[in-house]
């Protein structure tokens, strides 16, 4: 236990100024009654590095901003832009926008978005819309993906307003990778 605490302290205080990060994943994980926010960075060379962890019961904005402040103080470079991959936590997204402003590109996790949408549907509809959403997100261009999702939205409005509202909320942030014009391989890894 003593050794683990020292390792966590080193992880949370080491300098980040020597690496050039292009992408930051932030996700909350639950363990019994506790929660952890985990921050993983990907460097320009493709290395995956755990940047920080935060013991927190929620992914609220205050916790997120404190975590981001700590990364900046530790030397996280962001002036060339950073892609943030998040699950859709409004608090985290607000914190990222507040701290990184125009340097942040936010991609909401398409899997989380899809699961949120289909949670409103009955069993038969779940499989149909799960497939439709997957195919829409697999479209090559922003225009194609956006048009496909708009069609799904119009269909959902007729059958389930809650599912339709879930799709519309944050929709543009689920298409950031399309807007950036990334290759299919990168989109698959980062969506």
């Amino acid at each position: 236990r003593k050794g683990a605490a020292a390792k966590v302290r080193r992880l949370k205080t080491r300098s980040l100024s020597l690496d050039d990060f292009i992408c930051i994943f932030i996700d909350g994980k639950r363990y019994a009654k506790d929660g952890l926010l985990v921050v993983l960075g990907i460097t320009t060379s493709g290395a995956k590095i755990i940047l920080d962890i935060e013991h927190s019961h929620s992914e609220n904005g205050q916790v997120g901003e404190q975590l981001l402040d700590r990364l900046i103080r530790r030397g996280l470079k962001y002036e060339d832009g950073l892609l943030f991959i998040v699950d859709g936590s409004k608090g985290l997204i607000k914190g990222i926008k507040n701290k990184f402003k125009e340097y942040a590109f936010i991609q909401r996790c398409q899997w989380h978005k899809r699961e949120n949408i289909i949670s409103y549907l009955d069993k038969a509809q779940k499989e149909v819309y799960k497939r439709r959403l997957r195919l829409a997100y697999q479209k090559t261009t922003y225009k194609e993906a956006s048009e496909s999702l708009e069609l799904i939205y119009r269909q959902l409005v007729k059958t389930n307003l809650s599912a339709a509202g879930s799709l519309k909320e944050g929709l543009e942030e689920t298409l950031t990778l399309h807007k950036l014009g990334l290759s299919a391989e990168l989109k698959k890894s980062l969506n």
Side-chain angles (χ1 to χ4, degrees):
R1 184 164 168 114
K2 195 176 192 181
K7 286 180 181 181
V8 169
R9 252 191 318 282
R10 280 194 301 276
L11 169 88
K12 294 173 77 55
T13 58
R14 76 173 185 276
S15 174
L16 302 176
S17 64
L18 300 177
D19 292 298
D20 289 321
F21 293 96
I22 56 171
C23 183
I24 307 285
F25 285 85
I26 305 175
D27 197 9
K29 297 294 176 195
R30 304 288 316 156
Y31 297 98
K33 294 179 183 176
D34 288 331
L36 289 177
L37 274 178
V38 180
V39 183
L40 177 76
I42 299 178
T43 66
T44 53
S45 66
K48 295 175 186 167
I49 301 172
I50 296 175
L51 304 181
D52 211 332
I53 55 173
E54 187 70 36
H55 183 180
S56 174
H57 293 286
S58 72
E59 298 177 37
N60 69 52
Q62 184 178 0
V63 170
E65 286 196 35
Q66 291 172 358
L67 177 67
L68 297 169
D69 279 338
R70 198 165 51 245
L71 296 175
I72 292 168
R73 280 195 308 273
R74 290 171 49 207
L76 178 68
K77 297 179 231 166
Y78 61 89
E79 295 81 6
D80 290 331
L82 277 173
L83 175 62
F84 287 87
I85 312 290
V86 296
D87 64 4
S89 161
K90 290 179 182 139
L92 279 178
I93 290 171
K94 181 180 176 189
I96 291 166
K97 288 178 178 179
N98 286 344
K99 295 298 171 186
F100 295 97
K101 311 228 183 299
E102 71 271 9
Y103 301 109
F105 299 90
I106 298 172
Q107 170 67 44
R108 287 180 63 168
C109 174
Q110 293 169 357
W111 184 87
H112 278 97
K113 175 51 77 178
R114 185 189 71 210
E115 293 302 306
N116 288 342
I117 294 163
I118 66 169
S119 71
Y120 293 101
L121 303 173
D122 66 36
K123 193 173 185 175
Q125 290 177 316
K126 282 183 189 214
E127 289 308 312
V128 169
Y129 281 98
K130 187 183 246 187
R131 184 179 51 76
R132 287 181 184 167
L133 289 162
R134 182 177 42 81
L135 292 172
Y137 284 128
Q138 287 177 346
K139 298 290 185 189
T140 307
T141 68
Y142 168 79
K143 184 177 186 300
E144 293 170 329
S146 180
E147 288 172 355
S148 293
L149 291 170
E150 186 60 38
L151 176 62
I152 293 169
Y153 171 76
R154 288 193 307 268
Q155 294 165 342
L156 284 171
V157 164
K158 295 174 187 173
T159 60
N160 188 307
L161 287 174
S162 296
S166 180
L167 173 58
K168 209 58 158 170
E169 188 273 320
L171 184 136
E172 286 299 313
E173 289 170 343
T174 67
L175 296 174
T176 300
L177 299 176
H178 287 83
K179 289 179 198 171
L180 293 173
L182 299 181
S183 69
E185 295 81 19
L186 273 175
K187 276 195 277 193
K188 186 177 180 182
S189 294
L190 299 175
N191 69 5

